[in-house]
């Protein structure tokens, strides 16, 4: 009988918490741009929605093709890593001064 390796719930919790904190940083950078109410704010809102739809679609594709991993823990870690990459890109972009 084969058993899966033990899951590290504390590690998953910390990784999830880190993703949440990074996402809150992006939210903090994005809100002032959205509150400006100018055409750049509308473009930011459209970009935000498009990025979210794309990130979800790519994650679903990864899940369907098995590239997230063979175990539930691997799938969770792969999902967290996927979203952290998107969040990091947004953080870099939003940290630059608006044009």
């Amino acid at each position: 009988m084969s058993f899966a390796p033990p899951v590290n719930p504390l590690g998953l919790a910390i990784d999830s918490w880190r993703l949440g904190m990074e996402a809150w940083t992006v939210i903090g950078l994005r809100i002032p741009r959205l509150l400006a109410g100018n055409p750049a704010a509308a473009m930011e809102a459209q970009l935000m929605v498009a990025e979210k739809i794309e990130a979800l679609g790519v994650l679903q594709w990864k899940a369907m093709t098995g590239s997230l991993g063979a175990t539930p823990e691997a799938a969770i870690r792969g999902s967290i890593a996927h979203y952290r990459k998107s969040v990091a890109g947004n953080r870099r972009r939003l940290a630059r001064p608006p044009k």
Side-chain angles (χ1 to χ4, degrees), residues 19 22 62 80-90 92:
L19 172 60
E22 291 167 356
K62 287 179 178 181
I80 291 170
H82 169 77
Y83 279 116
R84 285 191 72 200
K85 184 177 177 182
S86 296
V87 168
N90 278 322
R92 281 190 301 275

Side-chain angles (χ1 to χ4, degrees), residues 29 33 44 47 88-99:
L29 292 168
R33 290 181 184 220
E44 179 62 33
L47 180 61
N90 278 322
R91 188 178 64 241
R92 281 190 301 275
R93 180 179 60 81
L94 291 166
R96 293 190 302 257
K99 294 179 183 178

Side-chain angles (χ1 to χ4, degrees), residues 65-87:
T65 60
S67 63
L68 288 177
T71 66
E73 181 179 11
I76 293 168
R77 289 192 185 284
S79 298
I80 291 170
H82 169 77
Y83 279 116
R84 285 191 72 200
K85 184 177 177 182
S86 296
V87 168

